[in-house]
Amino acid sequence: MKILLTGCAGFIGMHTALRLLESGHAVVGVDDLNDYYDVGLKQARLARLTPHPEFAFTRLDIADAEALSRLFASAVPERVIHLAAQPGMRHSLKHPHAYLHSNLAGFLNVLEGCRAQTVGHLLYASSSSVYGGNTHLPFSEHDHADHPLSLYAATKKSNELMAHAYSHLFRLPTTGLRLFTVYGPWGRPDMSPSLFARAILEGQPIDIFNHGRMQRDFTYIDDAVEAILRCLDRPALPHPGFDAAHPDPAASSAPYRLYNIGNRSPAELNDYIAEIERATGKQAIKRYAPVQAGDIVITSADTAELYAAVGFTPATPLEVGVPRFIAWFKDYYGYT
């Protein structure tokens, strides 16, 4: 198939594009290569894709409605994987307008492109952060997610609502993937795995919020991509027996689905740091701090719906994933 992939120079985007190309698909990659973090890393990821004859790259901002509309019209994709977004919960505290630009206006433009070209399936990245103030664990798609704790989370929940509207109005099959703390080689430098690894290797202190009692459902990148590709092959369908009088948040009369993409095994932040220490052979200098505004203390994914739909659930343990990440990190950044 021909697949339009936004955010192709991003962490998850690059890995997804590589798997698609290896599987024989043609990929039209879109990215604006913005400077939210090191553009050199984005260009290095892109360099792994551009030699492939079935990969075509277009640099544009998805919030540019006219440019994106033209691309949809020329590419005529059969499927769309939308991974482009302004990421980062803490960044949203100081730069809120960036999230409206990319995550709301940009997503609307993607929906419009899919509608205009009658795309067979839109798969888009949501986030575990949508669960917000919900403390019922593990997080389930059947739980309500109406209390976001950050603007970033609010934009991701808004994406799900916007997708549902288009699924209902235009019968556009949409599937939202609530991703849980994805890590691995080529990961973002602003996320804790890279921040911790760099500080530990350089003998600098690391800030550990909530005094290390944070728990995260760390999900290895290969597992996340496997879930994405399997979901891509299962266009969303209306739920049989949907009860509008007692609506289930995970169900709809429209061709609309939501899936958790998580490892089902939350780890305490201290345990994650211990794995990095083992992989680097160095001890962390720990600086404990209170929980930050907007942080969710525990994330834990119920992946029963994902497994029922595609027969797969992430399961790579930290003791396997972290050494792979550290090996790449040391090689890419030149640490010995």
Side-chain angles (χ1 to χ4, degrees):
M1 293 185 292
K2 179 184 284 188
I3 298 166
L4 192 151
L5 172 63
T6 71
C8 66
F11 168 40
I12 301 175
M14 181 210 72
H15 284 278
T16 302
L18 284 173
R19 281 287 307 277
L20 289 169
L21 293 166
E22 290 167 0
S23 299
H25 299 292
V27 177
V28 178
V30 177
D31 206 292
D32 67 353
L33 299 176
N34 67 52
D35 61 358
Y36 169 67
Y37 62 81
D38 178 25
V39 177
L41 176 59
K42 297 180 181 183
Q43 292 171 331
R45 295 182 187 131
L46 192 59
R48 303 187 72 205
L49 304 175
T50 49
H52 200 289
E54 292 299 318
F55 178 76
F57 174 66
T58 298
R59 182 173 182 174
L60 65 78
D61 182 348
I62 59 169
D64 185 336
E66 291 186 4
L68 191 61
S69 177
R70 288 194 298 270
L71 179 62
F72 266 89
S74 63
V76 194
E78 298 166 75
R79 300 282 190 273
V80 173
I81 302 176
H82 175 56
L83 302 177
Q86 175 58 57
M89 182 281 295
R90 296 186 180 103
H91 186 72
S92 70
L93 298 175
K94 294 183 179 180
H95 305 281
H97 292 91
Y99 294 78
L100 304 187
H101 177 85
S102 295
N103 299 7
L104 297 184
F107 189 62
L108 175 61
N109 294 337
V110 170
L111 287 168
E112 276 291 286
C114 291
R115 179 179 71 87
Q117 300 303 322
T118 319
V119 167
H121 191 197
L122 166 62
L123 202 69
Y124 63 95
S126 185
S127 167
S128 62
S129 66
V130 301
Y131 289 107
N134 176 19
T135 58
H136 177 260
L137 298 172
F139 294 149
S140 168
E141 301 92 336
H142 299 280
D143 295 334
H144 288 281
D146 300 322
H147 299 87
L149 301 183
S150 68
L151 180 64
Y152 169 72
T155 63
K156 286 299 186 178
K157 176 62 177 178
S158 298
N159 288 170
E160 296 177 0
L161 297 173
M162 294 163 72
H164 185 273
Y166 271 66
S167 293
H168 170 74
L169 292 170
F170 309 113
R171 313 314 290 176
L172 169 66
T174 66
T175 300
L177 304 180
R178 292 174 172 174
L179 296 158
F180 283 68
T181 315
V182 182
Y183 75 99
W186 297 94
R188 280 171 30 207
D190 62 312
M191 293 189 70
S192 60
S194 291
L195 295 173
F196 291 161
R198 186 179 301 279
I200 291 171
L201 287 166
E202 295 181 359
Q204 300 297 319
I206 59 174
D207 292 321
I208 305 175
F209 297 107
N210 198 35
H211 305 283
R213 292 188 293 272
M214 307 285 280
Q215 291 185 39
R216 288 289 178 269
D217 211 337
F218 293 101
T219 308
Y220 189 63
I221 181 61
D222 289 357
D223 288 343
V225 173
E226 180 67 25
I228 289 170
L229 267 62
R230 291 195 183 207
C231 288
L232 185 68
D233 290 335
R234 300 287 192 281
L237 297 170
H239 289 69
F242 173 73
D243 185 358
H246 302 90
D248 179 345
S252 176
S253 59
Y256 169 84
R257 285 289 192 275
L258 294 170
Y259 296 118
N260 288 335
I261 310 296
N263 206 50
R264 301 174 302 140
S265 182
E268 194 166 274
L269 201 53
N270 283 323
D271 294 332
Y272 186 74
I273 293 167
E275 288 295 340
I276 296 178
E277 290 175 322
R278 277 189 280 274
T280 58
K282 297 188 177 183
Q283 294 295 307
I285 303 170
K286 300 173 183 178
R287 189 164 57 193
Y288 292 101
V291 67
Q292 285 207 317
D295 269 345
I296 297 176
V297 175
I298 301 174
T299 66
S300 177
D302 180 339
T303 58
E305 289 292 331
L306 176 68
Y307 187 80
V310 301
F312 173 78
T313 191
T316 301
L318 288 179
E319 55 267 28
V320 172
V322 170
R324 292 176 183 172
F325 164 70
I326 293 299
W328 167 82
F329 188 90
K330 292 173 70 175
D331 179 68
Y332 181 80
Y333 290 106
Y335 291 97
T336 57

